């Protein structure tokens, strides 16, 4: 199958999995369910669950029911981070995924609560996998630990903290790399590491996968910075020029557009080279990584 058609198929399949774990909109607290569903159902790329599933397949994973719980959990965490990132105290943005941001529709308090709720729901969903038939509890436990670490204070939240503190300041390459590694790459590492772990891969293999996802994640963030400069709100589904508005030092500010594009290409090629050192079949995963180099959204 042609790559674009295959990607569409995988995106729709991942979406069905994620949506199947969303709450019913009923009960006295139904506003929070509605805000959670609004945020998750907005059209995202579903990159993290797709990466998780592909890595799981690459290593011959079998228990898809367990995988599905973790795919949904990670997309919930990613979505909570976007909801909170858009809040007035953070980037204060009005559009996300082509729609009004959650706090613009439901109000600021409900925006905060929707993010909190998605975070809790993520861990409830992941923990639910422990109760499934034929679950490898050791692998599920390791996957839960990866999810916690990569999204928390030594992962995404930690990166966001430094990013916020450094607003308006000049950063060097090392500091910028720290922020990108934690803020963005950590969740992509999380996706691929959990896929490999649930498929039963050993520790050394999971570390090699972490390294690949790290390169993909940093390239992904630099491309995000490039698009913030050169794209349009219509194409991106979120405001452009957001980094400048928030006085954010980015790779593009530090190195210019041309060198940033070269760096995205270099990191992605390095990821592909590392991936090619595996004998397991990984055609779609490789095509996906290459497609991200020139992504427009
Ligand atoms: C804890 C209050 C509180 C806030 C947390 C951690 C955090 C806020 C925000 C995370 C930082 C962040 C949004 C990083 C950017 C990563 C990034 C490039 C996200 C966009 O991902 P895509 O393009 O989005 O995959 P879609 O919409 O396609 O899913």
């Amino acid at each position: 199958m042609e790559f674009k058609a295959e990607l569409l198929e995988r995106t729709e399949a991942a979406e069905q999995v994620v949506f199947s774990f969303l709450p019913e909109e009923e009960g006295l607290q139904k506003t929070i369910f509605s805000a959670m569903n609004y945020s998750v159902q907005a059209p995202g790329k579903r990159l993290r669950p797709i990466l998780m599933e592909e890595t799981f397949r690459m290593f011959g994973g079998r228990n898809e029911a367990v995988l599905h719980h973790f795919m949904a959990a990670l997309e919930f965490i990613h979505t909570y981070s976007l909801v909170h990132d858009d809040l007035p105290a953070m980037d204060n943005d009005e559009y996300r995924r082509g729609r009004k941001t959650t706090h613009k529709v439901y109000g600021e308090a409900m925006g905060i609560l929707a993010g909190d709720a998605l975070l809790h729901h993520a861990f409830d969903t992941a923990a639910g996998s422990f109760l499934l038939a034929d679950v490898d509890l050791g692998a599920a436990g390791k996957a839960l630990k990866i999810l916690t670490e990569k999204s928390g204070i030594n992962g995404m939240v930690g990166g966001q903290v430094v990013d916020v503190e450094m607003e308006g300041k000049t950063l060097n390459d090392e500091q910028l790399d720290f922020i990108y590694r934690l803020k963005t790459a950590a969740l992509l590492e999380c996706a691929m590491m959990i896929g490999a772990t649930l498929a039963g891969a050993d520790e050394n293999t999971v570390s090699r996968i972490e390294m690949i996802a790290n390169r993909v994640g940093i390239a992904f963030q630099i491309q995000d910075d490039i698009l913030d400069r050169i794209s349009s709100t219509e194409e991106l589904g979120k405001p452009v020029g957001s980094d400048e508005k928030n006085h954010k030092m980015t790779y593009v500010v530090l190195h210019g557009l041309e060198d940033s594009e070269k760096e995205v290409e270099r990191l992605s090629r390095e990821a592909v080279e590392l991936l090619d050192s595996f004998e397991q079949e990984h055609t779609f995963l490789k095509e996906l990584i290459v497609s991200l180099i020139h992504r427009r959204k």
Side-chain angles (χ1 to χ4, degrees):
M1 201 191 296
E2 199 231 334
F3 171 73
K4 270 194 177 162
E6 199 167 349
L7 180 60
L8 186 66
E9 209 175 276
R10 304 276 163 117
T11 307
E12 284 170 0
E15 217 151 58
Q16 265 188 20
V17 168
V18 172
F19 292 179
S20 72
F21 291 94
L22 285 173
E24 295 289 331
E25 295 181 21
E26 59 192 17
L28 208 53
Q29 79 279 46
K30 70 174 174 225
T31 308
I32 196 66
F33 299 143
S34 164
M36 290 163 78
N37 294 350
Y38 173 82
S39 317
V40 173
Q41 283 167 345
K45 292 184 284 299
R46 318 301 175 196
L47 179 63
R48 293 147 192 85
I50 292 173
L51 280 174
M52 190 187 288
E53 184 166 37
E54 284 312 307
T55 316
F56 178 83
R57 285 187 181 174
M58 177 175 160
F59 292 105
R62 283 171 175 261
N63 197 332
E64 291 202 344
V66 173
L67 170 77
H68 289 171
H69 279 251
F70 280 93
M71 284 168 66
L74 182 52
E75 187 66 12
F76 294 156
I77 290 179
H78 166 59
T79 307
Y80 117 74
S81 82
L82 302 181
V83 172
H84 277 186
D85 196 50
D86 291 334
L87 286 168
M90 299 263 177
D91 282 0
N92 194 18
D93 280 326
E94 209 176 326
Y95 287 93
R96 167 75 67 180
R97 292 173 162 176
R99 293 185 183 178
K100 286 268 180 192
T101 45
T102 308
H103 71 273
K104 284 285 170 196
V105 176
Y106 291 89
E108 193 178 344
M110 218 44 82
I112 295 170
L113 287 168
D116 294 341
L118 282 169
L119 179 58
H120 284 281
H121 193 53
F123 283 99
D124 186 52
T125 304
S129 72
F130 283 68
L131 308 173
L132 293 171
D134 302 324
V135 57
D136 174 346
L137 284 172
K142 280 186 199 162
L144 188 61
K145 184 92 172 85
I146 294 168
L147 190 68
T148 313
E149 280 181 5
K150 294 291 181 186
S151 58
I153 49 177
N154 292 310
M156 183 182 72
V157 172
Q160 179 76 355
V161 167
V162 182
D163 196 32
V164 167
E165 277 189 341
M166 291 297 185
E167 247 170 51
K169 298 197 179 118
T170 310
L171 303 180
N172 60 32
D173 276 314
E174 208 179 310
Q175 291 165 318
L176 204 60
D177 185 70
F178 179 92
I179 294 172
Y180 285 16
R181 184 162 55 80
L182 271 67
K183 181 180 85 161
T184 307
L187 279 205
L188 274 71
E189 291 164 14
C190 177
M192 294 185 71
M193 289 168 77
I194 289 180
T197 300
L198 291 179
D202 62 31
E203 246 172 67
N204 177 46
T205 303
V206 175
S207 305
R208 286 168 66 194
I209 286 294
E210 182 177 23
M211 218 185 311
I212 294 169
N214 168 270
R215 305 302 186 271
V216 178
I218 305 226
F220 189 81
Q221 183 57 55
I222 298 176
Q223 186 65 17
D224 203 68
D225 301 341
I226 293 172
L227 292 175
D228 188 67
R229 268 285 182 90
I230 66 166
S231 188
S232 63
T233 305
E234 293 72 40
E235 193 169 23
L236 216 51
K238 62 179 181 180
V240 291
S242 189
D243 295 332
E244 202 179 348
K245 180 189 88 180
N246 294 308
H247 311 287
K248 271 207 183 134
M249 173 63 80
T250 67
Y251 196 91
V252 176
V253 174
L254 214 53
H255 296 277
L257 270 176
E258 203 176 312
D259 281 358
S260 301
E261 280 164 7
K262 282 187 191 146
E263 185 62 0
V264 172
E265 174 109 32
R266 188 191 71 76
L267 286 162
S268 307
R269 297 285 166 209
E270 200 177 312
V272 165
E273 221 169 273
L274 292 166
L275 189 61
D276 279 341
S277 68
F278 282 104
E279 60 183 21
Q280 286 86 349
E281 213 278 317
H282 54 263
T283 312
F284 179 77
L285 203 46
K286 188 164 153 175
E287 285 176 335
L288 179 58
I289 294 170
V290 172
S291 77
L292 294 175
I293 302 175
H294 299 294
R295 74 185 171 93
R296 298 291 304 172
K297 65 181 290 188

